[in-house]
Amino acid sequence: MAINRRFLYAGLFLVALGGVVVAVELAAVSSPTIASALRLWPLAWVAIGAGIALRRSRFALIACISAAMIPGLVLGGFAAVAPRHGLDCGAGGSGTQTSTRQGTAPPIIQVDSNCGSISIGTQAGNGWQLTSTNVPGGEPDIEQSTDSLQISSTGTDLDWLDGGRDNWNLLLPTSPLEHVAVTVNAGHVSAALPGATVASLVLNGNAAEIVADLSSASITELSGSLDFGRMAIQLPQQGHYAGVIRVNAGDLRLCVPSGLGVHVRFAGSPREVRVNGLRTDATEWQNEGMELSSNQADLSVKVNFGSVAINPIGGCK
């Protein structure tokens, strides 16, 4: 039986990438160990070069397998470790100064954080509240108008790398909002939004970890992007909504609540997709009873050098 080597190498790459992420998630390998091993990342270039140079020699198979698996191990290591280590940002130390700001929420809210942790929740009514802990002089910039609220980290360019870590606790209103966008660079977002009503929710992470429980929220459009990191989303249980999520060298997890009909289209390459713990090569998936459900989600997921798990073992946390 003839073997298509392109599929073989793509499969080995995904096995290596996913294997590292799973090993870290299951604590089979500690993230500090992976972080130390990533100092050898130039070996990925060596492996690729060797695969090209030896592709017509008797060592071609071994060289090409190495050229597929070593880059997969490196990218998997970055995907698993980057959100936990935050690119070693915040050399200026953790925050010692706490402040609280609040106001009436406009229809558009945008949050941008560099190097830090954000906890997002909800409160009854139409008001917002931000409690932030930062190094002195590192309080977030807050700009509010009748139409929008912008919360962003202090600093420009790469100053945040040694400016200290942010620690924010943001409460959003349960009154209807048109658009909420959260972007985190080298940090962590933990969001639980019971009672929230948002027409458009956008989650973006770069070398970040985003964990969002939207099961009790009302969302019309859900979208996001992830570069080198991890995103786990408990999907809203009720309503009809659509969304587009893009993943580059990352790990996306989606948890489907009972009673929600879900249809997902997959695109991009190479990628690994697992549904209920089982690997699939399908480009589309929908759960049983989707067409008859009164609550439906139609999602499009594009993955380049990453993995997607729907209803993963261990959940979305």
Side-chain angles (χ1 to χ4, degrees):
M1 181 179 65
I3 297 177
N4 188 319
R5 290 194 173 185
R6 287 181 299 175
F7 290 123
L8 173 63
Y9 300 146
L12 291 173
F13 173 87
L14 290 172
V15 167
L17 187 153
V20 175
V21 175
V22 171
V24 173
E25 288 296 323
L26 296 179
V29 180
S30 66
S31 56
T33 299
I34 297 295
S36 297
L38 285 175
R39 296 174 182 175
L40 301 176
W41 69 265
L43 287 176
W45 294 113
V46 175
I48 293 173
I52 295 173
L54 300 175
R55 69 185 185 279
R56 297 188 183 279
S57 72
R58 59 176 178 161
F59 303 107
L61 182 60
I62 295 176
C64 290
I65 288 176
S66 299
M69 295 198 71
I70 293 178
L73 291 171
V74 170
L75 283 175
F78 274 116
V81 172
R84 291 169 172 80
H85 287 259
L87 295 179
D88 291 330
C89 69
S94 58
T96 58
Q97 183 171 299
T98 300
S99 62
T100 299
R101 299 277 297 275
Q102 56 189 356
T104 301
I108 298 174
I109 297 178
Q110 184 166 334
V111 180
D112 296 295
S113 172
N114 293 325
C115 181
S117 299
I118 308 176
S119 175
I120 304 177
T122 56
Q123 63 179 6
N126 63 353
W128 65 271
Q129 178 177 296
L130 174 67
T131 300
S132 62
T133 302
N134 310 85
V135 295
E139 300 83 359
D141 291 326
I142 298 178
E143 298 181 6
Q144 181 169 0
S145 66
T146 56
D147 296 324
S148 65
L149 169 66
Q150 171 82 43
I151 302 173
S152 56
S153 295
T154 303
T156 58
D157 298 325
L158 295 180
D159 293 343
W160 53 272
L161 286 172
D162 57 5
R165 295 185 64 86
D166 295 330
N167 191 340
W168 298 351
N169 185 359
L170 174 63
L171 295 177
L172 300 177
T174 54
S175 60
L177 298 172
E178 290 182 11
H179 180 76
V180 175
V182 179
T183 299
V184 58
N185 301 307
H188 173 84
V189 174
S190 177
L193 304 179
T197 302
V198 183
S200 173
L201 176 64
V202 181
L203 302 173
N204 299 318
N206 302 296
E209 181 176 51
I210 299 176
V211 180
D213 183 354
L214 309 178
S215 57
S216 299
S218 176
I219 309 292
T220 305
E221 181 178 352
L222 172 65
S223 60
S225 65
L226 180 69
D227 297 302
F228 284 107
R230 176 178 178 271
M231 182 182 292
I233 301 176
Q234 295 262 6
L235 294 174
Q237 185 175 25
Q238 297 184 340
H240 283 68
Y241 55 93
V244 177
I245 302 176
R246 295 177 173 83
V247 179
N248 297 302
D251 174 35
L252 173 65
R253 299 185 171 200
L254 301 174
C255 287
V256 180
S258 176
L260 177 68
V262 178
H263 175 236
V264 185
R265 294 178 298 276
F266 305 104
S269 178
R271 66 178 186 270
E272 180 182 56
V273 178
R274 291 184 177 273
V275 178
N276 299 320
L278 301 177
R279 191 176 186 276
T280 177
D281 294 323
T283 58
E284 293 187 52
W285 173 84
Q286 69 179 39
N287 58 353
E288 185 177 354
M290 188 271 178
E291 296 178 352
L292 300 177
S293 176
S294 58
N295 301 296
Q296 297 182 351
D298 187 8
L299 304 176
S300 177
V301 177
K302 183 174 182 179
V303 181
N304 296 308
F305 299 103
S307 61
V308 181
I310 297 177
N311 293 330
I313 298 173
C316 295
K317 53 187 178 180

